[in-house]
Amino acid sequence: MLFGLKEEMAPQELTRRLATVTTHIDEIMQQEIRPLLAVDIIEQLHRQFAILSGGRGKDGAPIITFPEFVGFKHISDEDFLNVMTYLTSIPSMEAAGIGFIIVIDRRRDKWSSIKASLTRIAVAFPGNLQLIFILRPSRFIQRTITDIGIKYYQDEFKMKVPIVMLNSVSDLQGCIDKSQLTEDLGGTLEYRHSQWISHRTAIENFALTLKTTAQMLRTFGARLAATELPRGVPSTAELLMSHTEQRDKLQDELKLLGKQGAILLSCIQEPGIKSPTRKLNPNQLENVATMERLLVQLDETEKAFSQFWSKHHLKLSQCLQLQHFEHNFCEVKLALDNLLAEQAEFTDIGDSVMRVERLLKEHEKLERKGQESLEKAQLLAVIGDQFIQSHHYAADSIRPKCVELRHLCDDVFNENKKKCDILEKSLELHRQLDKVSRWCEAGIYLLASQAVDKYQSREGVDVALTDIEAFLDTAKEYQLPSPKEIYNQFELILTPDVKTNAQKVLQKLGDVQEIFQKRQMSLMKLAARQTRPVQPVAPHPESSPKWVSPKTSQPSALAPLQKTSEEPYAETDLDSLVKEDDKTKYEGKDEEILECSHDGENPEQEQPDNPENLSSGRCLIRDLLETEKVYIKEMKSIIDGYITPMDYIWLKHLIPDVLQNNKDFLFGNIRELHEFHDRTFLKELEKCTENPELLARCFLKRKEDLQIYFKYHKNLPRARAIWQECQDCAYFGVCQRQLDHNLPLFKYLGGPSQRLTKYQMLLKDGPKRTEASAFLPELQQALAMIEELIKSCELAVDLAEVTGCPEDIRELGRLLRRGAFSVWTVHKERSKMKGFIRFKPSQRQLYLFERGIVFCKIRMEPSDQGPAAHYSFKKSVKWTTLSIHQLERGSNRKFELVNRNGLEKYILQAASKEIRDCWFSEISKLLMEQQNNNKDVYEDEDNGRQISPKCCSSRACISAETFEEGEGAEDMEKESSALGLSGLFQLDDSYDTCSPKSALDTGERIQGEKGGDD
């Protein structure tokens, strides 16, 4: 039905309206009366032997003037008839019905000319004549001849209208108003024959063009209506584009024709527009009326064609929409059918926990795969509803497809949910079966670990009974299901294989429970009989296994932990987890991982290659790979030995709430570090084995990825605080003994910091150990990059300790320096107030960034090692608002930063001249770069200082001589040193940023200045 459909929009309406337009154009231009156009007789009109000046008689009759024309008698009868026919057809039907007045000017001519004119008028004048005025020849003889000739030949002219002979122009003006006569007849009517011809030609051309355009639009509309709609989307789109292009061309022609008509109308109206007091003559008024009527017909043509096109375009657009909809419908339906087929084939429900989990992942992947098709189907159904609401002509075809799409989506969704529910039930069943199985294994282990020789005493028997009872109680704690519950709960998913497996596990459960009952009965009999001790030999139980995950070894680890002696539970837990036979330990145990990381060697992986046999570049790569593998192994041990066990149920009681709630802050992004090095960086380093020159590129390529170290170090102060609060909890001791670590956890968390220093050391040795000088610049760039990263990490640790630091501090860019300064703050508007300027400086910790500077208040707080300095954020100022100045007099340790608005400045005093020079140079460089970027730098060539054009005035500048240095300021003026990466994890005496003595002194001084600190 769609592809055999023809456009139902017949162009009858368009044809009718455009035919009406054509008829009206013919009526306006009087084509039925006057088939001639000005362009057809243009030469005859230019001869000007007869003119239609636009004058009117007293009763409104049009006046045709025959001016003096020497060659009048030589004009052919055909030319005379054509001109008369054209001139008489120009006035309106109403004016022409009154009759024409003819004025023949023969003042300089002869009687023969008058006779010829009257003869031709009598024979060939096509209009209705009312009156003829003749201006006699001015010469006496010719006038006399004319008077006589008129009397004798009047009957020969056969004129039914009066002929008035006039002697002069004044006589003519007595019959016709002076304003209706041209200037050559003594009147005031302006008439330019060439302009009249151009106007008439333009009007007729406009009418002809309009008529032709209307006919062309009729043909175009008929062709569009007869076009058969194509069968494919590309063909329909191409047809729509082609029709649109043709329509645009026709529309442009109509617009151009409208502009031409407006211009022509304004040209005709120009005399009246230029001189408002001047009125257009009737001839001009008729031209204006003609153009206005033609423009009305043009507007009607545009409306008719626009309405037809809107209907035709809507039809084609809806056809294209329908074809797109059906094409997308076929694609989406096929995709959903395939998805349902895949779901139908997905019948496996698994036979183990791992298998079911894998099936769940596959099912989730299948869901994600079909999600796009589902979204497309739902969107397509919504689009179909929109088509129906917009009254699409194929709504009856679209509606059932939308219903079908929604049914398919519901089927896919229901199948997904059903399959997911079945797999979750299967997972729950197999987890319960695994739980039963592990409980049985743990019970067997418990029975095997009970030494028979301890049964010789009543105390040993009581202990064994207590252990058995405690273990049997765990069946309630872990809620082991009964066989009946399993069958009732999972009956729908019990396939023959699953049912067989479940029967085996439940049979095993029954056997273990029976064994425990028998062991209990035997022990109870032993306790009652009190027989003579027997000395049997029993095998020594295996030592407690190390945990790997709560899924595989939870019950095994629980067995020795369920001890109900009088000792605290935590102590029993610790003792049971760390006991291990010395003979079972691996005698060739590795050295401590942290020490290996320091030394940069891996004892486990000794290379058979002799370093002497390798090139120096390959030795560098070998060292780097060895330490990289140790580093990854170290991070893996932290993740598996400390982070993962936190989720084990049987260790929850060892973890305090503070640690549980802040474990992410304690370990930071160490998982991200491990993943990056294990999956990415190590593989790229291994590629450098054969091409050592690629090492530097490897570092430079991963410059952005290595910024995760900055994130790690920024978190370190918080991690250190959490560690100090929780380092004595039993959980860390259990994990440390389980991993056989000699050092506490926080020492191992220093691995990333040590790794950066290791990179720095190896890259420094690179130029010495490589022979390819061409790659030295890249090595130096890589080394500079690592050193910059180390510096930013160190400063990140320091900045993280600042309290109240806003989040937008990142906008200031990279942190470059920090240090303690004595700071004076001067406010210009208050400088006249006595005592406002502080003569005692404030002690501030300053942080120098790429795009600004941060002021922090120093406060001393007590700690285990004595008073320690702490920093709180005060303010930050961007370089765009500051300029720097030297102080010409006073201390050589001072310089000033001036706000460019001149209202505030800061005088800074460093601990030494060297520190002052370093900071001054660095800030000047930053300001120079900032000002060069803004093109706002002026240089004072006399003293070589950089001066901002907006610098504060000299009245606001206060000489350094007016300030007195505070007592003991030198102690706080020394540049504070944050912990380097190598000392970040020294939590003993070197933990604080300053020694107890210096910190205490600083604290006393600051508290003494507390009253003057803002």
Side-chain angles (χ1 to χ4, degrees):
M1 177 178 178
L2 169 65
F3 301 116
L5 181 67
K6 280 192 173 182
E7 187 175 1
E8 297 177 357
M9 277 187 300
Q12 288 86 1
E13 180 67 19
L14 177 66
T15 302
R16 183 188 64 79
R17 295 177 67 176
L18 293 182
T20 304
V21 168
T22 303
T23 303
H24 287 167
I25 294 174
D26 291 339
E27 291 177 356
I28 294 169
M29 301 306 296
Q30 300 183 22
Q31 290 294 309
E32 297 177 356
I33 302 173
R34 173 185 39 118
L36 291 174
L37 298 175
V39 69
D40 298 331
I41 57 173
I42 192 69
E43 293 182 2
Q44 290 82 355
L45 292 175
H46 277 297
R47 295 173 72 178
Q48 201 174 347
F49 60 83
I51 63 173
L52 184 67
S53 62
R56 293 288 190 270
K58 293 180 181 180
D59 57 355
I63 298 174
I64 296 178
T65 304
F66 286 81
E68 293 179 335
F69 187 75
V70 178
F72 185 80
K73 61 183 178 181
H74 300 295
I75 298 173
S76 64
D77 294 340
E78 183 182 0
D79 292 342
F80 181 81
L81 178 61
N82 288 337
V83 171
M84 288 299 103
T85 303
Y86 182 76
L87 294 179
T88 56
S89 65
I90 292 176
S92 64
M93 299 288 292
E94 181 181 357
I98 298 173
F100 288 89
I101 296 175
I102 295 178
V103 178
I104 302 174
D105 185 8
R106 293 294 182 262
R107 288 175 293 176
R108 298 179 183 180
D109 213 333
K110 301 177 182 180
W111 158 246
S112 60
S113 177
I114 296 175
K115 180 180 179 182
S117 298
L118 291 174
T119 302
R120 287 193 173 184
I121 293 173
V123 174
F125 191 81
N128 183 21
L129 275 175
Q130 184 189 77
L131 190 64
I132 298 176
F133 292 101
I134 300 175
L135 288 174
R136 296 174 180 176
S138 58
R139 290 178 292 179
F140 176 77
I141 297 175
Q142 293 298 327
R143 181 181 300 178
T144 304
I145 296 172
T146 301
D147 291 340
I148 296 172
I150 288 295
K151 293 179 181 179
Y152 286 102
Y153 291 97
Q154 188 171 8
D155 294 336
E156 185 178 347
F157 297 142
K158 297 180 181 179
M159 293 287 185
K160 297 181 180 180
V161 295
I163 299 175
V164 181
M165 301 298 294
L166 301 174
N167 293 324
S168 63
V169 173
S170 59
D171 294 341
L172 178 62
Q173 293 176 357
C175 299
I176 300 175
D177 189 80
K178 187 178 180 179
S179 63
Q180 301 300 319
L181 297 175
T182 58
E183 294 177 354
D184 57 346
L185 296 177
T188 59
L189 179 64
E190 290 185 4
Y191 175 77
R192 292 195 294 270
H193 191 61
S194 60
Q195 186 184 52
W196 180 86
I197 293 175
S198 65
H199 283 177
R200 292 304 306 173
T201 305
I203 292 172
E204 291 170 357
N205 286 338
F206 179 79
L208 181 60
T209 305
L210 178 57
K211 186 176 179 180
T212 305
T213 304
Q215 293 174 350
M216 185 168 52
L217 291 177
R218 287 174 59 185
T219 305
F220 178 69
R223 187 172 70 252
L224 294 189
T227 302
E228 184 176 355
L229 298 179
R231 296 177 177 270
V233 173
S235 301
T236 306
E238 184 179 355
L239 178 65
L240 179 60
M241 185 180 297
S242 174
H243 286 185
T244 304
E245 290 177 355
Q246 297 177 44
R247 178 259 181 185
D248 291 341
K249 291 180 181 179
L250 292 174
Q251 192 71 25
D252 292 341
E253 292 182 7
L254 287 174
K255 290 181 180 178
L256 180 60
L257 191 59
K259 290 181 181 178
Q260 293 175 353
I263 294 173
L264 179 55
L265 180 61
S266 64
C267 290
I268 297 173
Q269 295 173 335
E270 184 178 0
I273 295 174
K274 287 184 177 180
S275 178
T277 58
R278 179 181 175 184
K279 296 182 180 179
L280 299 178
N281 59 48
N283 197 15
Q284 292 172 330
L285 291 174
E286 286 186 358
N287 288 341
V288 169
T290 299
M291 282 303 304
E292 289 177 346
R293 293 172 66 186
L294 289 175
L295 289 175
V296 169
Q297 297 306 312
L298 175 61
D299 184 61
E300 174 63 19
T301 302
E302 290 181 346
K303 288 181 179 178
F305 181 69
S306 177
Q307 291 175 5
F308 168 79
W309 171 255
S310 62
K311 295 178 181 178
H312 177 76
H313 185 267
L314 176 63
K315 190 75 172 183
L316 281 181
S317 299
Q318 288 184 347
C319 177
L320 183 60
Q321 290 172 352
L322 180 60
Q323 291 178 356
H324 273 298
F325 179 82
E326 292 188 339
H327 175 74
N328 294 335
F329 172 79
C330 293
E331 289 185 348
V332 171
K333 185 176 183 302
L334 179 62
L336 293 180
D337 289 340
N338 292 336
L339 189 61
L340 287 172
E342 290 185 34
Q343 290 178 343
E345 295 175 357
F346 200 94
T347 57
D348 191 3
I349 62 172
D351 55 2
S352 64
V353 173
M354 293 182 62
R355 174 62 179 166
V356 177
E357 288 177 346
R358 186 161 59 251
L359 288 174
L360 277 171
K361 290 181 179 179
E362 292 177 1
H363 183 262
E364 183 180 356
K365 184 178 179 181
L366 182 61
E367 279 187 323
R368 289 197 301 267
K369 177 183 175 183
Q371 188 64 31
E372 183 178 358
S373 298
L374 283 173
E375 292 176 356
K376 286 184 178 180
Q378 293 169 353
L379 178 61
L380 193 60
V382 173
I383 293 174
D385 291 340
Q386 293 174 354
F387 289 163
I388 296 172
Q389 293 174 2
S390 62
H391 305 291
H392 196 285
Y393 73 87
D396 294 337
S397 174
I398 296 174
R399 188 176 289 106
K401 291 181 174 60
C402 294
V403 174
E404 185 176 358
L405 284 175
R406 289 192 169 91
H407 284 323
L408 283 173
C409 291
D410 292 341
D411 292 342
V412 172
F413 178 78
N414 293 333
E415 283 296 322
N416 281 335
K417 188 175 185 304
K418 179 180 177 182
K419 182 62 63 176
C420 186
D421 292 342
I422 291 175
L423 290 176
E424 287 177 353
K425 280 281 187 182
S426 178
L427 180 62
E428 183 181 355
L429 170 63
H430 287 95
R431 281 178 176 172
Q432 291 193 10
L433 293 178
D434 280 359
K435 186 192 301 183
V436 172
S437 180
R438 291 196 302 269
W439 186 84
C440 294
E441 293 174 359
I444 295 171
Y445 175 83
L446 174 62
L447 295 177
S449 63
Q450 288 182 340
V452 180
D453 55 354
K454 295 182 179 180
Y455 296 163
Q456 304 302 316
S457 63
R458 178 61 182 269
E459 292 76 7
V461 172
D462 291 342
V463 170
L465 285 172
T466 303
D467 291 343
I468 290 174
E469 292 173 358
F471 180 77
L472 292 177
D473 290 340
T474 60
K476 298 179 181 179
E477 180 181 350
Y478 287 93
Q479 299 179 354
L480 297 181
S482 64
K484 185 177 180 181
E485 291 175 349
I486 290 179
Y487 279 108
N488 292 337
Q489 189 175 358
F490 305 103
E491 183 178 2
L492 296 177
I493 63 170
L494 288 178
T495 62
D497 294 338
V498 174
K499 185 179 294 186
T500 302
N501 186 26
Q503 289 174 349
K504 291 180 179 179
V505 173
L506 295 176
Q507 180 64 38
K508 184 178 181 181
L509 175 62
D511 294 342
V512 171
Q513 290 175 340
E514 183 180 356
I515 294 174
F516 268 91
Q517 291 177 0
K518 292 181 179 180
R519 175 65 65 89
Q520 277 184 313
M521 293 176 62
S522 300
L523 291 175
M524 292 172 64
K525 291 179 180 179
L526 283 175
R529 288 170 56 188
Q530 292 293 328
T531 56
R532 183 172 58 85
V534 182
Q535 308 259 341
V537 179
H540 192 277
E542 296 179 358
S543 59
S544 301
K546 295 184 180 290
W547 69 67
V548 290
S549 72
K551 294 180 179 180
T552 58
S553 59
Q554 176 178 345
S556 308
L558 281 173
L561 288 175
Q562 307 300 323
K563 189 172 182 179
T564 57
S565 64
E566 296 179 358
E567 296 179 352
Y569 186 78
E571 292 298 326
T572 307
D573 210 357
L574 295 175
D575 294 338
S576 62
L577 284 172
V578 299
K579 287 183 179 179
E580 192 171 43
D581 190 10
D582 293 339
K583 293 182 180 180
T584 63
K585 291 184 179 179
Y586 180 58
E587 295 180 357
K589 188 168 182 62
D590 302 344
E591 295 182 4
E592 180 58 42
I593 295 177
L594 183 63
E595 296 176 359
C596 294
S597 178
H598 278 297
D599 299 339
E601 297 177 358
N602 188 355
E604 291 181 349
Q605 302 175 357
E606 294 185 1
Q607 300 293 336
D609 298 334
N610 190 344
E612 296 178 358
N613 297 331
L614 297 174
S615 65
S616 55
R618 292 188 178 182
C619 288
L620 176 66
I621 300 299
R622 185 198 64 180
D623 295 343
L624 188 58
L625 285 175
E626 289 177 355
T627 54
E628 187 74 12
K629 292 175 182 178
V630 172
Y631 174 50
I632 294 172
K633 182 179 178 182
E634 175 185 337
M635 287 192 292
K636 188 71 166 58
S637 68
I638 294 174
I639 294 171
D640 293 342
Y642 284 97
I643 301 177
T644 303
M646 283 190 171
D647 298 328
Y648 293 174
I649 298 176
W650 65 91
L651 294 178
K652 290 289 186 182
H653 64 285
L654 301 179
I655 304 175
D657 293 339
V658 176
L659 178 59
Q660 186 68 39
N661 297 333
N662 296 277
K663 60 182 179 181
D664 293 335
F665 295 107
L666 176 63
F667 298 100
N669 61 329
I670 195 168
R671 288 182 185 270
E672 186 179 5
L673 286 169
H674 175 263
E675 183 176 357
F676 166 68
H677 282 273
D678 186 38
R679 298 185 179 182
T680 304
F681 202 55
L682 177 62
K683 295 179 181 179
E684 293 188 0
L685 290 178
E686 289 174 346
K687 295 178 182 178
C688 302
T689 305
E690 299 299 330
N691 299 303
E693 61 275 5
L694 300 178
L695 177 61
R697 297 181 188 177
C698 181
F699 279 92
L700 295 174
K701 176 183 177 182
R702 294 297 172 182
K703 179 179 179 180
E704 296 299 327
D705 294 330
L706 289 171
Q707 294 302 315
I708 55 179
Y709 279 91
F710 181 85
K711 178 181 178 182
Y712 181 82
H713 287 84
K714 186 178 179 181
N715 179 68
L716 276 181
R718 189 165 186 175
R720 183 162 51 207
I722 297 171
W723 168 255
Q724 286 180 331
E725 185 174 357
C726 305
Q727 61 182 335
D728 295 330
C729 72
Y731 173 77
F732 288 131
V734 172
C735 294
Q736 182 177 345
R737 287 191 291 271
Q738 194 74 20
L739 294 171
D740 291 328
H741 282 179
N742 296 328
L743 300 174
L745 167 65
F746 201 73
K747 295 293 183 179
Y748 292 90
L749 292 178
S753 301
Q754 297 163 3
R755 191 59 190 161
L756 288 181
T757 57
K758 184 65 177 180
Y759 290 151
Q760 180 186 20
M761 180 186 68
L762 291 176
L763 290 175
K764 278 184 179 179
D765 293 343
K768 303 176 184 178
R769 301 169 65 174
T770 184
E771 299 174 356
S773 59
F775 301 100
L776 290 181
E778 290 186 350
L779 279 174
Q780 293 173 353
Q781 292 179 16
L783 176 60
M785 184 267 290
I786 290 296
E787 290 177 344
E788 181 180 353
L789 178 60
I790 291 175
K791 184 177 180 181
S792 65
C793 290
E794 291 176 347
L795 298 181
V797 174
D798 193 6
L799 189 60
E801 296 179 347
V802 177
T803 59
C805 193
E807 290 295 330
D808 59 357
I809 198 71
R810 294 174 174 267
E811 297 179 0
L812 298 180
R814 187 165 50 91
L815 185 59
L816 303 175
R817 294 180 179 277
R818 80 278 190 216
F821 281 79
S822 299
V823 179
W824 292 266
T825 304
V826 181
H827 297 275
K828 177 181 178 181
E829 66 275 13
R830 303 180 184 175
S831 59
K832 296 181 181 180
M833 298 172 57
K834 184 177 180 181
F836 177 77
I837 304 175
R838 292 205 178 102
F839 291 89
K840 203 167 189 180
S842 301
Q843 301 302 324
R844 294 285 183 260
Q845 179 78 358
L846 303 188
Y847 293 90
L848 184 64
F849 290 85
E850 287 179 319
R851 292 187 285 275
I853 188 169
V854 173
F855 294 81
C856 294
K857 184 177 180 179
I858 304 175
R859 51 188 174 83
M860 306 305 297
E861 294 184 358
S863 64
D864 296 340
Q865 290 80 18
H870 292 266
Y871 310 120
S872 59
F873 177 83
K874 290 291 291 183
K875 69 170 64 177
S876 63
V877 187
K878 294 185 177 180
W879 296 129
T880 54
T881 63
L882 294 177
S883 60
I884 189 170
H885 297 267
Q886 296 183 6
L887 292 180
E888 298 179 355
R889 294 182 297 173
S891 174
N892 58 5
R893 294 180 294 155
K894 295 179 181 178
F895 61 93
E896 64 180 6
L897 297 175
V898 181
N899 197 305
R900 292 186 178 181
N901 59 18
L903 300 180
E904 192 175 35
K905 70 176 179 179
Y906 312 95
I907 298 177
L908 279 60
Q909 178 174 288
S912 65
K913 182 178 182 300
E914 292 74 15
I915 295 176
R916 178 262 182 204
D917 293 341
C918 185
W919 278 68
F920 187 88
S921 174
E922 188 77 24
I923 295 175
S924 299
K925 179 181 177 182
L926 294 173
L927 286 173
M928 177 67 75
E929 294 176 354
Q930 185 71 39
Q931 292 172 350
N932 285 339
N933 292 336
N934 298 334
K935 298 182 179 180
D936 194 17
V937 176
Y938 294 90
E939 185 173 356
D940 187 349
E941 297 180 356
D942 295 333
N943 51 26
R945 293 178 298 173
Q946 292 182 5
I947 303 176
S948 169
K950 302 178 182 178
C951 178
C952 62
S953 62
S954 58
R955 290 180 298 171
C957 298
I958 300 177
S959 174
E961 293 179 353
T962 61
F963 298 96
E964 297 179 359
E965 301 178 6
E967 296 180 3
E970 290 79 4
D971 293 337
M972 282 300 296
E973 289 162 359
K974 295 180 181 179
E975 180 157 5
S976 63
S977 58
L979 290 172
L981 291 183
S982 59
L984 284 173
F985 298 87
Q986 303 297 329
L987 298 176
D988 47 1
D989 296 339
S990 61
Y991 168 69
D992 293 308
T993 57
C994 57
S995 64
K997 183 178 183 303
S998 62
L1000 182 61
D1001 295 341
T1002 305
E1004 294 173 355
R1005 183 175 67 258
I1006 290 178
Q1007 291 185 2
E1009 299 170 355
K1010 186 175 181 180
D1013 197 1
D1014 55 346

